[in-house]
Amino acid sequence: MADDAKKGNAIVETIKTIVYALLIAGVFRTLFFQPFWIPSGSMKETLLIGDFLFVNKMAYGYSYASCPSVIMPGIGINIDAEDICGMFRGDNSRLFGSEPERGDVVVFRHPVTGRDFIKRVVGLPGDRIQMRQGVLSINDVPVELTPDGVFTETFEPQGPQGTRPRCANGPVGQGGACEKLRFIETFPEGGSHIVLDIGPQSMDDTGVYMVPEGHFFFMGDNRDNSSDSRLPQSAGGVGFVPFENLIGRADRVMFSSAGRSMLFFWTWRGDRFFKAVE
């Protein structure tokens, strides 16, 4: 009987340890850092498919979107942040809130679908944003674009989704060199980053977007392969993103996998460990 009691106590202690660990992990993920794995090429070459990073959730304070989502379709788990913290949604405010700066790379919740997106902030509340012949204009001032060579990658399926890149020199056969024009984009008030271009596209010329108060305008660095604020939500885009939908700022890539899983350590990119996000 004593042995049975000891076994029972050991099982209870194990369960308690697991529960405590999950609670601690949940609090840590809610308040401090959230892991994020880059699934698409919309932020190339700043972020590549397979980059793994932690999102700084302290950067902009906390809202309903700070609560973690747990989505594991393989075992039927689909817990959304709104399921846990939806009661706090709606007033577009944040606890200890701090607005992002232009140029920040931010993870946010899509205003309609709730999916996590990662893009660059290009428009702040009250800004006038427009694309003119492929050049971003902020408050009627075009950004500075400096040619910086060519970004080259292999034309092949990338990441778990097996998507193939779009190329400026296409069509390109399997295993061929896929090229995009590379530019350094500098905002009128300073701050530079790399953007990619594959040639004239429908979203290279747009009307003027007036960013509402309490909202932000996002774009991907891979400009011709990004679903972002240039398209309204009704057309499958992102539209203007409310302040309360921001999750956090991406500061540094921890490691990166060029394979179909981040567990395939032989496909890890050695030059991207702890790489700063610029």
Side-chain angles (χ1 to χ4, degrees), residues 2 46 107 128 161 180:
T46 305
V107 173
R128 292 166 49 90
Q161 299 175 2
K180 297 177 179 64

Side-chain angles (χ1 to χ4, degrees), residues 150-189:
V150 175
F151 172 77
T152 304
E153 59 187 334
T154 303
F155 186 80
E156 62 184 359
Q158 298 180 347
Q161 299 175 2
T163 55
R164 288 176 169 81
R166 299 179 66 195
C167 316
N169 60 328
V172 176
Q174 178 73 12
C178 176
E179 298 179 350
K180 297 177 179 64
L181 299 180
R182 191 174 187 264
F183 296 88
I184 296 176
E185 181 177 81
T186 303
F187 291 134
E189 65 269 62

Side-chain angles (χ1 to χ4, degrees), residues 48 256 268-275:
L48 303 180
S256 181
W268 289 2
R269 302 177 177 107
D271 60 340
R272 298 187 69 79
F273 282 91
F274 308 113
K275 182 179 177 62

Side-chain angles (χ1 to χ4, degrees), residues 51-235:
D51 281 353
F52 180 84
L53 49 85
F54 284 100
V55 178
N56 181 357
K57 302 183 81 168
M58 299 175 285
Y60 310 127
Y62 304 97
S63 71
Y64 87 97
S66 302
C67 286
S69 297
V70 182
I71 301 175
M72 303 174 69
I75 57 176
I77 295 178
N78 186 6
I79 302 174
D80 187 77
E82 194 168 355
D83 296 331
I84 305 171
C85 298
M87 67 189 77
F88 301 113
R89 183 182 184 185
D91 61 359
N92 202 24
S93 64
R94 304 182 74 88
L95 183 65
F96 310 123
S98 176
E99 290 193 355
E101 298 180 359
R102 193 187 321 278
D104 284 359
V105 176
V106 177
V107 173
F108 59 90
R109 283 174 57 86
H110 189 284
V112 175
T113 68
R115 289 178 54 205
D116 290 350
F117 275 59
I118 185 165
K119 308 287 181 185
R120 189 180 298 275
V121 178
V122 301
L124 304 176
D127 280 347
R128 292 166 49 90
I129 303 296
Q130 187 176 18
M131 292 294 292
R132 301 172 181 168
Q133 297 182 337
V135 179
L136 173 64
S137 177
I138 302 173
N139 296 322
D140 303 315
V141 178
V143 300
E144 179 183 340
L145 279 181
T146 305
D148 193 46
V150 175
F151 172 77
T152 304
E153 59 187 334
T154 303
F155 186 80
E156 62 184 359
Q158 298 180 347
Q161 299 175 2
T163 55
R164 288 176 169 81
R166 299 179 66 195
C167 316
N169 60 328
V172 176
Q174 178 73 12
C178 176
E179 298 179 350
K180 297 177 179 64
L181 299 180
R182 191 174 187 264
F183 296 88
I184 296 176
E185 181 177 81
T186 303
F187 291 134
E189 65 269 62
S192 299
H193 54 274
I194 295 168
V195 296
L196 302 180
D197 179 71
I198 64 171
Q201 303 291 314
S202 61
M203 295 306 295
D204 284 348
D205 290 278
T206 70
V208 176
Y209 304 93
M210 296 292 300
V211 185
E213 287 301 317
H215 292 72
F216 298 87
F217 194 97
F218 288 90
M219 291 179 65
D221 291 348
N222 190 3
R223 290 288 160 80
D224 296 329
N225 191 32
S226 175
S227 176
D228 50 40
S229 293
R230 290 172 290 178
L231 278 177
Q233 296 154 15
S234 59

